Amino acid sequence: VITDAQRRITWVNEAFTHITGYSLADVQGQVPGQVLQFEGTDADEVVRLRAALDSGEGFRGELLNRGKSGHVYWISLAIQPLRAADGSLTGFMAVEVDITERKATLQRLQEAEAQAQRLAMVVRRTSNAVVITDRQLRIEWVNEAFTHLYGYSVDQAVGRTPGELLGSPRTPVATLAMLRDAAAAGTGCRVEIVNRTADGREVWIDTEVQPRVDAQGHVDGFVEIQSDVTARRQAEAEAQRSGDLLRNAIEAIDEAFVLYDADDRLVMCN
């Protein structure tokens, strides 16, 4: 864009028309800001722009403008004063570059970073153990709950697979096969396994494994969320033992024994 000393447009190129939708006939004699700026344009940046031009100086900045069709777009703007041989100001030349896509990409990255930070905070503070692995199941990161549960630090865990670090022979073979098959297929699964802590204790773990997908949709690792269900498993085992003892005692009674619940439904008999 070229203007006279009063900032009235005298010439625009085809790129200007392509970006804004305005031809030279549409804007000739008008001030660019009056045509292109709108309520969404940063007022502080406009003040800075006008101050520079009032002083006959150049300007560099970024502005949000509105085109002929009503579409908004971002530009990177560089303005230089034009002077006659005697140094008097004859006009200005503005070079505008459409940076709308760059701004949109930056905003997406900022939103993704903010979301990642929020997620990281949740993951760090959750009471569940969280394990992040690569595609080969090598541990890349664990949270504080993992360290509290198992006694292994991040440095001790990184580079090893969960099976190598925590595996117990008490985990059923069929359950391990389910985990291996899901990993090979790049799919998720949820199972209960027995893991071993750093001090040798065995704990029952409800573990959910979900694939981690990159921007191209390819599986590049897994996220594993683990809950300690040892207390529940122990309670279930104790209830099973108590039930077995009761049944054995009832079977040993010589007389007939019948037990009904409060609704007269048969619960047990010998």
Side-chain angles (χ1 to χ4, degrees):
V1 180
I2 295 178
T3 74
D4 59 20
Q6 287 71 45
R7 306 169 202 171
R8 296 180 298 238
I9 296 173
T10 59
W11 181 83
V12 299
N13 66 353
E14 292 181 3
F16 174 89
T17 300
H18 177 73
I19 293 173
T20 68
Y22 289 108
S23 66
L24 177 59
D26 292 327
V27 298
Q28 191 168 20
Q30 300 190 63
V31 176
Q34 295 175 349
V35 177
L36 303 173
Q37 293 166 12
F38 69 115
E39 62 273 11
T41 306
D42 188 331
D44 291 338
E45 195 73 348
V46 172
V47 169
R48 193 169 71 87
L49 165 62
R50 289 175 180 170
L53 301 188
D54 287 345
S55 300
E57 299 174 352
F59 171 85
R60 287 183 179 274
E62 295 180 354
L63 291 176
L64 183 64
N65 282 346
R66 182 165 60 194
K68 185 176 182 179
S69 68
H71 69 283
V72 297
Y73 61 95
W74 279 96
I75 58 166
S76 174
L77 178 63
I79 301 177
Q80 293 297 329
L82 302 176
R83 299 188 181 279
D86 61 1
S88 61
L89 182 69
T90 61
F92 295 92
M93 181 176 67
V95 177
E96 303 177 358
V97 178
D98 187 342
I99 58 170
T100 306
E101 182 56 35
R102 192 196 79 190
K103 281 283 192 177
T105 300
L106 178 60
Q107 182 176 356
R108 288 193 294 269
L109 288 173
Q110 290 171 338
E111 290 172 352
E113 182 179 1
Q115 182 178 3
Q117 289 175 347
R118 289 193 295 269
L119 178 59
M121 182 180 297
V122 171
V123 169
R124 283 195 300 269
R125 296 182 178 180
T126 183
S127 59
N128 294 324
V130 178
V131 182
I132 296 178
T133 75
D134 62 16
R135 190 66 176 84
Q136 287 70 46
L137 303 180
R138 294 185 295 258
I139 295 172
E140 295 180 336
W141 182 82
V142 298
N143 68 347
E144 292 178 5
F146 177 95
T147 299
H148 179 74
L149 175 59
Y150 294 113
Y152 291 108
S153 67
V154 175
D155 291 340
Q156 290 172 315
V158 167
R160 304 177 69 181
T161 69
E164 292 171 350
L165 186 66
L166 309 171
S168 165
R170 288 184 57 205
T171 298
V173 174
T175 301
L176 294 175
M178 286 179 59
L179 286 168
R180 285 194 299 269
D181 292 346
T187 58
C189 70
R190 183 172 182 175
V191 295
E192 290 192 359
I193 59 176
V194 181
N195 279 346
R196 183 173 289 162
T197 66
D199 60 7
R201 290 182 300 109
E202 288 190 326
V203 289
W204 274 98
I205 299 296
D206 179 330
T207 182
E208 181 175 357
V209 183
Q210 292 297 333
R212 188 183 64 192
V213 180
D214 63 19
Q216 287 72 44
H218 302 134
V219 175
D220 67 356
F222 296 89
V223 177
E224 190 170 332
I225 301 175
Q226 303 180 354
S227 301
D228 184 351
V229 294
T230 305
R232 192 204 76 204
R233 280 281 189 161
Q234 290 173 340
E236 290 173 351
E238 183 59 33
Q240 181 66 42
R241 284 193 295 270
S242 298
D244 291 343
L245 287 173
L246 178 58
R247 280 188 291 272
N248 291 337
I250 290 172
E251 290 296 335
I253 298 174
D254 292 334
E255 292 80 9
F257 177 89
V258 181
L259 177 65
Y260 294 94
D261 64 16
D263 297 317
D264 289 331
R265 291 182 296 231
L266 178 65
V267 175
M268 186 179 297
C269 66
N270 62 358

